[in-house]
């Protein structure tokens, strides 16, 4: 069932429209020439498969905000050659069975020119063969599994690959925090197991060792037995391959047990909900992210200002990724047209598209991922994510 449709909306102020057009790589448009998309024209429609209900619903809500703001800016800047851009958001609960059904629906709908999502790599990869066979771009902007884009030439992602993220996380834990004996707690799904294995390999290459690894189920709430086994492995730090809810709960129980090891968490915990659910227990937790609202780049600060004025909170990793993904697809469609195959080809050729997440984006046409993505080291301090020792972005 279609749970929401974002249609063309009111224009923003001229300055915001110009910033949006610049973000799409159309710098030739000036304040005098910038016009809104014509709502009477046939819209250009993108399908979105993602969680609006279920255990990952918070992520879907964060996506919606990023999409809504990007749509406002795209349509205020003329849309797609005068046509309004829309999205049709299908609630998948990030369940592979539902993503497959949604993929079949999207592929069969000639109005939909490309698809964004789903949230988890497993849910997205279950649907990838349908998008590939149907010749519809699947743009997975939160899909970090290293095999995701191997599903075919219609499968693209601007997400940080696990094979890139885990060495960066290992650099932080080992090079930055000097950990040598590390225990890993990981969610026991394909993403978690793959990340754990990649982290262990990266740790060994950096002279450290994973002395214990404990998997847990997505709906698990009591981690005390696992923490006892972790304690007995005598680590000098803990790495969490978790989402914000389970990561916060593990950290709470770890601190309640009197275990004060440094905690380094995958970038998937980077959410206001992690701070809310973890409370004081998550102070001192280290993580990495490709997006941080404290980034001084003008494009980031303009985005943060506009987003905060609209929603009353700062953007996080998932709202910024949704915002960025929609702008990137809009840039490709403006350049190459609305034909499904042309959009695929356009993603391979767009260059240096300004991005609030990565700075400037171009894709490696072989891997169909962002070429040389960036990441930032953070630590939770006084209930907020802050830059760790003033660490700047660094190429992976």
């Amino acid at each position: 069932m279609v749970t929401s449709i974002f249609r063309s909306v009111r224009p923003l102020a001229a300055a915001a429209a110009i910033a949006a057009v610049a973000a799409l790589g159309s710098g030739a448009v000036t304040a005098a020439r910038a016009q809104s998309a014509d709502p009477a024209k046939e819209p250009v429609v993108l399908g979105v498969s993602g969680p609006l209900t279920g255990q990952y619903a918070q992520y879907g809500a964060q996506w919606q905000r990023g999409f809504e703001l990007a749509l406002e800016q795209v349509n205020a800047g003329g849309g797609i050659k005068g046509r309004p851009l829309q999205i049709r958001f299908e609630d998948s609960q990030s369940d592979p069975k539902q993503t497959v059904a949604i993929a079949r629906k999207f592929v069969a709908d000639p109005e939909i020119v490309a698809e964004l999502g789903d949230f988890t790599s497993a849910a997205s990869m279950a649907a990838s063969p349908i998008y590939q066979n149907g010749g519809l771009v699947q743009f997975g902007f939160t899909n970090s599994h290293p095999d995701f884009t191997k599903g075919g030439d219609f499968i693209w992602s601007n997400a940080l690959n696990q094979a890139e993220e885990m060495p960066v996380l290992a650099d932080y834990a080992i090079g930055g925090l000097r950990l040598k004996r590390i225990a890993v707690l990981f969610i026991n799904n394909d993403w978690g197991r793959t990340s754990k294995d990649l982290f262990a390999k990266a740790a060994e290459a950096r002279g450290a060792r994973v002395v214990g690894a404990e998997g847990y189920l997505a709906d698990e709430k009591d981690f005390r037995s696992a923490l006892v086994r972790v304690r007995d492995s005598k680590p000098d730090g803990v790495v969490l391959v978790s989402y914000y809810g389970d990561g916060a709960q593990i950290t709470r129980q770890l601190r309640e047990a009197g275990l004060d090891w440094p905690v380094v968490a995958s970038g998937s915990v980077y959410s206001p909900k992690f701070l809310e659910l973890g409370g004081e227990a998550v102070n001192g937790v280290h993580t990495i992210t490709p997006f941080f609202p404290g980034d001084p780049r003008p494009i980031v600060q303009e985005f943060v200002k506009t987003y905060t004025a609209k929603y009353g909170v700062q953007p996080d990793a998932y709202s910024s990724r949704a915002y960025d993904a929609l702008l990137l697809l809009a840039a490709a469609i403006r350049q190459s047209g609305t034909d499904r195959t042309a959009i695929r080809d356009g993603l391979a050729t767009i260059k240096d598209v300004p991005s609030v997440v990565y700075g400037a984006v171009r894709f490696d046409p072989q891997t169909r991922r962002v070429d040389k993505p960036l990441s930032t080291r953070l630590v939770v301090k006084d209930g907020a994510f802050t830059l760790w020792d003033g660490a700047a972005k660094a190429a992976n």
Side-chain angles (χ1 to χ4, degrees):
M1 179 179 68
V2 177
T3 54
S4 75
I5 300 177
F6 291 118
R7 301 188 180 277
S8 65
V9 291
R10 63 187 182 279
L12 296 180
I18 295 167
V21 174
L24 290 169
S26 300
V29 179
T30 64
R33 295 166 56 195
Q35 295 180 347
S36 299
D38 184 352
K41 290 186 176 181
E42 183 180 355
V44 176
V45 183
L46 302 176
V48 178
S49 172
L52 292 176
T53 59
Q55 64 178 328
Y56 302 125
Q58 176 64 27
Y59 292 107
Q62 291 161 246
W63 284 12
Q64 283 185 305
R65 288 178 172 180
F67 285 143
E68 183 178 45
L69 184 57
L71 281 172
E72 287 187 356
Q73 295 185 348
V74 169
N75 289 325
I80 306 298
K81 297 182 178 179
R83 296 170 60 185
L85 187 63
Q86 292 181 6
I87 68 170
R88 294 181 185 166
F89 202 137
E90 292 273 358
D91 180 14
S92 68
Q93 297 186 340
S94 217
D95 177 348
K97 292 181 181 178
Q98 295 193 49
T99 61
V100 166
I102 292 168
R104 291 183 178 131
K105 184 175 182 178
F106 283 168
V107 166
D109 186 343
E111 283 194 323
I112 293 177
V113 300
E115 184 269 349
L116 297 114
D118 203 275
F119 173 63
T120 68
S121 293
S124 297
M125 291 168 73
S128 292
I130 297 169
Y131 291 116
Q132 179 64 29
N133 292 336
L136 181 67
V137 165
Q138 181 187 31
F139 197 88
F141 59 98
T142 60
N143 299 146
S144 60
H145 195 291
D147 291 340
F148 171 68
T149 58
K150 295 178 183 178
D153 58 347
F154 279 87
I155 314 303
W156 294 74
S157 178
N158 67 334
L160 191 64
N161 186 337
Q162 285 166 287
E164 297 165 327
E165 181 183 4
M166 289 302 110
V168 173
L169 199 68
D171 282 338
Y172 195 1
I174 298 159
L177 301 177
R178 308 300 180 191
L179 303 182
K180 293 295 183 183
R181 294 174 54 85
I182 301 169
V184 179
L185 286 94
F186 63 97
I187 190 167
N188 196 3
N189 58 20
D190 186 59
W191 169 76
R193 291 188 297 271
T194 301
S195 295
K196 178 261 297 182
D197 291 342
L198 289 167
F199 179 85
K201 181 179 179 181
E204 183 176 355
R206 288 157 176 75
R209 187 159 65 97
V210 172
V211 295
E214 295 288 331
Y216 60 88
L217 299 177
D219 58 355
E220 201 159 333
K221 303 298 182 187
D222 188 344
F223 302 96
R224 287 173 295 184
S225 296
L227 291 174
V228 168
R229 293 190 292 272
V230 164
R231 180 198 63 196
D232 292 346
S233 69
K234 296 182 170 56
D236 55 15
V238 173
V239 163
L240 303 182
V241 179
S242 308
Y243 296 120
Y244 65 77
D246 38 306
Q249 183 75 348
I250 291 170
T251 307
R252 274 185 171 277
Q253 293 182 16
L254 188 148
R255 299 311 184 208
E256 288 168 358
L259 305 174
D260 59 357
W261 305 304
V263 175
V264 184
S266 57
S268 45
V269 306
Y270 179 55
S271 167
K273 295 294 288 185
F274 180 71
L275 305 177
E276 177 187 327
L277 296 171
E280 292 185 5
V282 299
N283 280 327
V285 171
H286 301 263
T287 190
I288 58 175
T289 181
F291 172 80
F292 181 60
D295 187 323
R297 285 180 295 135
I299 190 173
V300 174
Q301 289 309 303
E302 181 65 26
F303 168 59
V304 171
K305 178 182 177 182
T306 305
Y307 186 98
T308 304
K310 183 174 180 62
Y311 298 112
V313 294
Q314 286 194 332
D316 56 27
Y318 293 95
S319 55
S320 63
R321 289 181 189 183
Y323 174 87
D324 233 36
L326 192 141
L327 292 182
L328 284 169
L329 268 181
I333 296 168
R334 274 180 167 164
Q335 171 185 287
S336 303
T338 58
D339 177 79
R340 290 178 173 184
T341 301
I343 294 170
R344 176 202 65 185
D345 296 341
L347 286 169
T349 58
I350 59 174
K351 293 183 179 179
D352 301 328
V353 178
S355 160
V356 299
V357 177
Y358 294 121
V361 168
R362 65 174 64 194
F363 288 92
D364 181 331
Q366 300 303 312
T367 64
R368 293 175 297 283
R369 287 190 179 270
V370 173
D371 189 30
K372 298 181 178 63
L374 307 175
S375 62
T376 300
R377 293 177 176 181
L378 302 178
V379 63
V380 180
K381 183 177 180 181
D382 298 327
F385 291 106
T386 63
L387 290 172
W388 181 71
D389 286 347
K393 284 181 176 285
N396 294 327

